[in-house]
Every structure is written in structure tokens, then in C-alpha cells.
Amino acid sequence: MIDLSALREKPTLSGEHVRLVPVREEHADDFYASMRDQEVRRLTGTHRRFTYTEVRQWCATRGEQADRVDLAIIERSSGRFLGELALNDIDPDNESAAYRIALSAIEFTGQGIGKEATRLVLEYAFDRLGLHRVWLDVYAFNMRAIAVYRACGFSVEGRLRDALLWEGRRHDALIMAVLENDYRKALG
């Protein structure tokens, strides 16, 4: 049985290099800038262009959402915004949730930020919320992200063929998931 009350208490999760804090209106400028980065847009498959007002409103209302957790990834040493992530589409009956993460710039990849943030969220998902399964989708060309997910215990469960049309080319998406016991094994 999952603890739905935990979703109302937006967590702050701390690791060695990052802190995950509830997304608030104060993150809107950084979040908006990341959504304008062409490579971030490609990796997330984001075609729509959001206005600053839409982004500010979205950030301002994350704390009110009792059915999901949206967190900003903050560098511990500098306080710099590095990206954001979410546990959403929470299915209490099946003890499952979707996960997504997006670093705010390509310069932040390859530094272990995504891996640390993902492990912190999975610990929260399994230990605090009581989930059994966390799943995601990732475009098959995003090999770096796939490697991070595998290192955190995720396995490929399926493929959505031609799921993304980007600049005239079609790309598959992979469905990946981690079960609580797979996550614990990945911790070693």
C-alpha cells in the first residue's frame, strides 16, 4: 500500500552533489531558459513552445498538486538550477508511477547529476511512498540517459516505434521500468 499522504508533503532530498527541492515560482526563469535550449527540447521531444507566463504559472502551482511530486535539481555547492524531475501518473492501486527528468543544459550531462538525482528519487519512491514500480520512456537515441537508467536498475520493457518525429526523422522510444527489488540490487 502506498502512502498518498507523502505526496502532499513535497520532499527535499539531499545527495552528495545535488539537492532536490520542490519546484516553485522562483525556478521559473531557469526552467524557461532550459525549455528554450534546442538540445534539451530534442532529448525530451518537446515540440510545443511555452510562454514565460505558462512556465511561471506551472512552477507556481507544483506545490498544490497532491497527485505528483515535481522537484528542481539544485547544485549543492553553488545553488545553481541544473534541471527538474517528476514522479507523476501515480497509480495507487498498482503501486506504480511514471518518472521523468530533464537536465537544463547539455553542459550538465556526463557529471553524474542525473544518476544521483534518479537514485534519490527512487529511494523516495520505494522507501517513502511505498511504490513497487517506476517507469519512464526515453528516446532510443539518448544513449547517455539509457545508460544512467540501467545503472539505477531500470530495464527495457518495450519499444514504441516511430514515436517521435523530429526535424523530418522518426525515432523510437523505449519503455523502461525498475521494480523495487531491481533498484535494491543496482545499489549493490
Side-chain angles (χ1 to χ4, degrees), residues 13-19 73-74 76 82 113 116 120:
L13 309 173
S14 293
E16 185 178 349
H17 302 288
V18 301
R19 281 183 350 116
I73 305 167
I74 306 297
R76 284 181 66 106
L82 303 175
I113 295 165
E116 183 177 349
L120 288 168

Side-chain angles (χ1 to χ4, degrees), residues 34 37-46 102-106:
S34 73
D37 183 290
Q38 189 61 21
E39 185 61 6
V40 171
R41 294 173 62 72
R42 183 181 78 87
L43 291 173
T44 59
T46 304
L103 297 181
S104 62
I106 294 307

Side-chain angles (χ1 to χ4, degrees), residues 14-164:
S14 293
E16 185 178 349
H17 302 288
V18 301
R19 281 183 350 116
L20 306 180
V21 302
V23 171
R24 296 184 189 94
E25 189 171 358
E26 69 192 57
H27 300 115
D29 290 348
D30 292 319
F31 193 81
Y32 181 71
S34 73
M35 295 184 74
R36 299 180 60 78
D37 183 290
Q38 189 61 21
E39 185 61 6
V40 171
R41 294 173 62 72
R42 183 181 78 87
L43 291 173
T44 59
T46 304
H47 290 289
R48 183 165 180 246
R49 302 244 180 219
F50 295 89
T51 67
Y52 179 77
T53 301
E54 289 172 318
V55 170
R56 191 180 79 237
Q57 178 66 21
W58 186 87
C59 288
T61 60
R62 294 305 86 202
E64 302 166 11
Q65 309 304 310
D67 62 345
R68 59 184 289 144
V69 175
D70 295 276
L71 302 173
I73 305 167
I74 306 297
E75 187 175 47
R76 284 181 66 106
S77 62
S78 68
R80 182 170 54 162
F81 179 89
L82 303 175
E84 56 85 28
L85 55 79
L87 282 173
N88 57 356
D89 293 334
I90 294 172
D91 180 349
D93 295 325
N94 294 303
E95 300 174 339
S96 178
Y99 173 62
R100 69 171 175 73
I101 181 172
L103 297 181
S104 62
I106 294 307
E107 70 184 84
F108 302 138
T109 62
Q111 299 177 34
I113 295 165
K115 185 175 181 180
E116 183 177 349
T118 297
R119 285 189 169 164
L120 288 168
V121 165
L122 291 177
E123 180 181 351
Y124 171 79
F126 296 127
D127 293 345
R128 178 65 178 98
L129 291 179
L131 294 176
H132 172 71
R133 179 177 184 271
V134 175
W135 66 273
L136 59 85
D137 60 72
V138 58
Y139 296 111
F141 59 75
N142 194 346
M143 299 306 292
R144 189 174 289 180
I146 293 167
V148 167
Y149 300 141
R150 285 187 190 281
C152 292
F154 285 83
S155 299
V156 174
E157 294 186 334
R159 177 179 294 266
L160 302 174
R161 297 180 305 149
D162 291 349
L164 174 68

